[in-house]
Amino acid sequence: MLLVMNCVILSIGNTGGPLLLRLYFIRGGKRVWLSCWLETGGWPIMLIPLLGSYIYRVRKSKEKAKFFFLTPFLFISGAVLGVLTGVDDYLYAYGVSKLPVSTSSLIISTQLVFTAGFAFLIVKQKFTSYTINAIVLLTVAAIVLGVRANSDRPNGESKVEYFTGFFMTLGASALYGFVLPMVEFTYKKSKTKISYTLVIEMQMVMSLFATAFCTIGMLVNKDFQAIPREAKTYELGESKYYTVLVFNAIVWQFFFLGAVGVIFSASSLLSGIMIAVLLPLTESLAVAFYHEKFSAEKGISLALSLWAFVSYFYGEYKQTKQLQQSIESKTNIVNASSQT
């Protein structure tokens, strides 16, 4: 149930986040540092479930309940991973500012390749032939998309800006593909019992330091002074400008909390798979709401991506079935031995 809940939370953030962020840019928003700040700036929301968990522990336990479970090791690890997440936020926000959502989402699907590779190196994730097939297909999908990526370049945008956005988004995909296995590795190396409450605390620390990194960028770029001016010229109006900012901050917290929740409940590889498998939904919503072009290259790339997802999940299904059969076989042998 916890895994299902986190998958739902991740789904909301993974589809809503890119759409809201793109909405900020296409209606007149131009501040990249502000947009990347919004991706983690809603971290105080994490205090709500933490407070609920604390109240529950107080009522359940007769002894004095701890408010935080983070150890110094987890705090420092969360801080380092948070700064990396802040860098990733900037790369992704810059990419979204230059690319249609349908394009940036397809590029982000390559994150599965990076997540799988780093999971293999860092947490010794075992690969099957189906996993390798999925990785190859997603790599080819990204290449197909990149061959004629310039075809969906927004009006008034130079080729240099477009391709910079393309490679910045690819960099964001690679970096977050590294962060996910590192979170799993941190859990394994911690000598503390990992609970879901601790997972939320860890994500809150990561978001806090990511926000601090982005805040420095905003201060240097003078984004705070520009917000009131930008609000007055926003196409949807001043009040809706602030509404877009607030909902961006909230929905992106769903993404990060869901991602680390899936890692806690399963693995970093499954978290990467879930992020990628939501691609068709994000694609469809981008085309429906923003009337983005859906070229033949995007169609081929999407088909290859879906093929990769089916391949991966079929491999997982077969592996689980073989494991169950092995367990049943051993159980039957043990029962037969006890009867004799």
Side-chain angles (χ1 to χ4, degrees), residues 8 12 125 163 192-193 217 258 276 308:
V8 171
I12 294 170
Q125 177 77 45
F163 281 106
T192 308
K193 182 181 177 182

Side-chain angles (χ1 to χ4, degrees), residues 175-186:
L175 183 54
Y176 203 63
F178 171 75
V179 169
L180 289 177
M182 282 304 298
V183 172
E184 184 178 355
F185 179 75
T186 302

Side-chain angles (χ1 to χ4, degrees), residues 83 177 325:
V83 173
Q325 289 175 346

Side-chain angles (χ1 to χ4, degrees), residues 55-80:
I55 292 172
Y56 173 77
R57 293 197 307 273
V58 168
R59 291 179 177 178
K60 187 178 178 181
S61 177
K62 294 180 180 179
E63 299 178 3
K64 188 177 180 181
K66 291 176 66 177
F67 189 72
F68 284 110
F69 291 96
L70 276 178
T71 61
F73 170 75
L74 287 173
F75 182 84
I76 294 170
S77 299
V80 173

Side-chain angles (χ1 to χ4, degrees), residues 14-15 53 76 84 95 98 121 126 238 250 265 301 314 322:
N14 197 51
T15 54
S53 175
I76 294 170
L84 289 177
K98 302 299 180 183
L121 295 172
K126 293 182 180 179
E238 190 171 355
I250 294 172
S265 305
S301 184
Y314 180 71
Q322 288 174 356

Side-chain angles (χ1 to χ4, degrees), residues 40 43-44 46 50 68 70-83 85 198-212 253:
T40 52
W43 65 266
M46 299 284 186
L50 286 178
F68 284 110
L70 276 178
T71 61
F73 170 75
L74 287 173
F75 182 84
I76 294 170
S77 299
V80 173
L81 291 173
V83 173
T85 302
L198 187 59
V199 168
I200 299 175
E201 291 177 8
M202 179 79 169
Q203 181 54 47
M204 188 177 72
V205 170
M206 287 173 62
S207 294
L208 173 62
F209 278 87
T211 305
Q253 286 308 299

